[in-house]
Amino acid sequence: LFGVDKNNRVYLFGADSIGRDTFARVLQGGQISMTVGLVGVAMSIVFGTILGTVSGYYMGVADDIIQRIIEVISSFPTIPLWAALAAALPPVGEGFTPLDRYFLITVVLSLVGWTGLARQLRAKVMAYRQADFCQAAVAAGSSDARIIFQHMMPNALSHIVITAALAVPNMILGETSLSFLGLGILPPMVSWGALLRESQQVSVIVQHPWILIPGAAVILTVLFFSFLGDGVRDAVDPYSI
């Protein structure tokens, strides 16, 4: 807990194996882990909203193709699929920086996470097609784009927001799992999963239990976003008590 230098610096969360402040690294790692979760969910919303709306509104061949793609992606176990995609990334070097890997890890997480929203939004759009306000818009000669963006999407916005809030914890846990296995964020960048990589051996945990503190940060963050998602759902759901 105390540095060996003349200033005798105090480490609130202890230090790692080479003397770096764990508290500072937890704060810095939180920026990466939470950014991956938020950006990954934003990209998943874009993919899921576009493909789910197209599938539910146009149906036919487009619906069949999109639904088969969703079924294929959903049939794979999530963690092995993430690990396989992350392992396919090129090694970090002069032409491929850790920042590039960070961005591609976010893309990998979002490419797997959009399927649930797409299916839910497809069901919403199919229900809206038969609603009176959409039928009135069709009778008035509105274009497909106008019907989708001015009539369907505003009604589905609350569902999209709820899904996004509840999807952030899964993205954070996905990044933590990949980094813990050595397939996610790599040095010199740091994330909560990368900090937990040192805790893979029981002997290390027994001698240095403070290295599990990043796990507590993950738990608190996931609980916070889960409670936030539940609160948003109760606030925007007109049928909630």
Side-chain angles (χ1 to χ4, degrees), residues 21-143:
D21 186 8
T22 302
F23 177 74
R25 288 173 63 79
V26 168
L27 295 181
Q28 185 178 3
Q31 298 177 3
I32 301 297
S33 296
M34 295 184 66
T35 304
V36 168
L38 296 174
V39 176
V41 167
M43 297 177 67
S44 296
I45 290 176
V46 174
F47 296 149
T49 300
I50 294 175
L51 295 177
T53 302
V54 170
S55 178
Y57 186 80
Y58 293 102
M59 297 191 292
V61 178
D63 182 34
D64 292 336
I65 294 175
I66 295 174
Q67 293 308 307
R68 299 299 82 76
I69 293 175
I70 292 175
E71 291 172 359
V72 170
I73 296 176
S74 301
S75 64
F76 287 97
T78 304
I79 296 298
L81 181 58
W82 278 339
L85 293 175
L89 298 179
V92 175
E94 295 182 358
F96 188 73
T97 64
L99 184 61
D100 297 331
R101 184 177 181 85
Y102 156 75
F103 175 74
L104 290 180
I105 288 295
T106 306
V107 174
V108 166
L109 295 174
S110 63
L111 287 177
V112 181
W114 62 270
T115 56
L117 176 60
R119 280 207 161 172
Q120 297 171 20
L121 198 57
R122 169 181 177 267
K124 289 278 186 181
V125 171
M126 292 179 68
Y128 292 152
R129 281 176 57 90
Q130 307 301 324
D132 293 338
F133 63 89
C134 282
Q135 295 296 325
V138 173
S142 299
S143 62

